[in-house]
Amino acid sequence: MAIATPARADDLSALFDRDTIISAGGFVGAGPRFQGSKQAGLWGLPYLSFRQADEPSEWWSPDDGLDVTLVGQGRLQAGAVLDFREGRSLNDDRRLAGLPGLPVTVGLGLFGEVWPVADTVRLRAEVTQGIRAHDGIVAKLGADLVGHVGRFTLSAGPRFVVGDAAAMRLDFAVPVGAALVNPILAPYRASAGPRSAGAATTLSYTWSDAWQTLGYVRYDRLIASAAGSSIVRRVGTPNELTVAVGAIYSFHLTP
């Protein structure tokens, strides 16, 4: 999995209202097999959201985590969020021999979102702690400029990711023992700080009230301590590209 699941749970109260609108669909795409990987892997993710019948559809980005709004509405929201974190194994690249494997896992935390310019400019932050104590904390920051032309919606904006010492060591550290087993790798201790900087863009087309299709591209450049790891310099690359396409179907749920 290369990006956080695009599923959303916007307002739990909508589940108990008449004529709730359910939106369901999915994405397929390709992205790095692990942090810093040169090789791309295929993935698929579901999409699910719901809203009240009299509530307009809100714009979202496919790299948003699964969130539940607990405070605020409209231009200012905050709540709980879940995101997926990539795993890593020898099957992804034989040159990782000696490194401990990393399972695919999730992080739990909080998100905040504000629209300084309604329906046009969005600022969003997500901070999550991995479900295991040593998974560490990751903060994801982003801004989006959103424009509508007829049935098309185009968005683009920067992305910035920061990790604490535990999260950075998990993805980029090389233990001395691993370097002794695998001469390709050099011992390395990653430190807390910036992990990547990049940008994302999404183009969607609304065919009808029921159907919408989307295309998504995101580029990330590993920086600072992440870029200095021999996992990145000798096995992989600091340049990461993720692409995806998806379709969403919306319908009324009448009790």
Side-chain angles (χ1 to χ4, degrees), residues 15-107:
L15 285 176
F16 305 100
D17 290 342
R18 292 184 59 85
D19 294 327
T20 291
I21 298 176
I22 304 293
S23 297
F27 287 79
V28 294
R33 289 180 175 271
F34 56 89
Q35 286 292 314
S37 174
K38 278 185 179 179
Q39 301 181 31
L42 299 177
W43 50 265
L45 289 173
Y47 174 90
L48 177 66
S49 73
F50 50 85
R51 69 182 190 274
Q52 296 173 349
D54 59 353
E55 184 180 3
S57 177
E58 295 182 353
W59 181 89
W60 52 272
S61 175
D63 56 359
D64 291 350
L66 168 63
D67 62 48
V68 178
T69 299
L70 302 177
V71 179
Q73 60 181 349
R75 296 176 63 173
L76 180 61
Q77 300 180 26
V81 66
L82 176 150
D83 71 352
F84 283 91
R85 300 188 181 183
E86 300 93 335
R88 184 182 68 203
S89 72
L90 194 58
N91 292 330
D92 294 321
D93 194 313
R94 307 304 294 182
R95 294 173 296 172
L96 297 175
L99 288 176
L102 301 178
V104 174
T105 187
V106 298

Side-chain angles (χ1 to χ4, degrees), residues 59-60 115 118-122 144-148 153-156:
W59 181 89
W60 52 272
W115 290 81
D119 298 323
T120 303
V121 178
R122 186 192 75 156
D144 294 282
L145 179 63
V146 184
H148 306 276
T153 300
L154 176 65
S155 68

Side-chain angles (χ1 to χ4, degrees), residues 161-249:
V161 182
V162 179
D164 70 355
M168 296 293 284
R169 286 197 297 266
L170 199 66
D171 285 324
F172 303 107
V174 178
V176 173
L180 293 176
V181 172
N182 186 349
I184 295 177
L185 302 173
Y188 187 74
R189 184 177 178 83
S191 58
R195 188 183 81 179
S196 66
T201 183
T202 302
L203 177 64
S204 66
Y205 185 79
T206 302
W207 298 89
S208 65
D209 290 340
W211 284 102
Q212 181 186 43
T213 53
L214 304 93
Y216 167 82
V217 179
R218 174 166 171 166
Y219 168 77
D220 291 285
R221 171 82 180 188
L222 297 176
I223 58 177
S225 180
S229 171
S230 58
I231 298 173
V232 177
R233 293 187 295 107
R234 299 185 180 183
V235 176
T237 174
N239 300 300
E240 299 185 328
L241 184 66
T242 300
V243 297
V245 293
I248 297 170
Y249 177 70

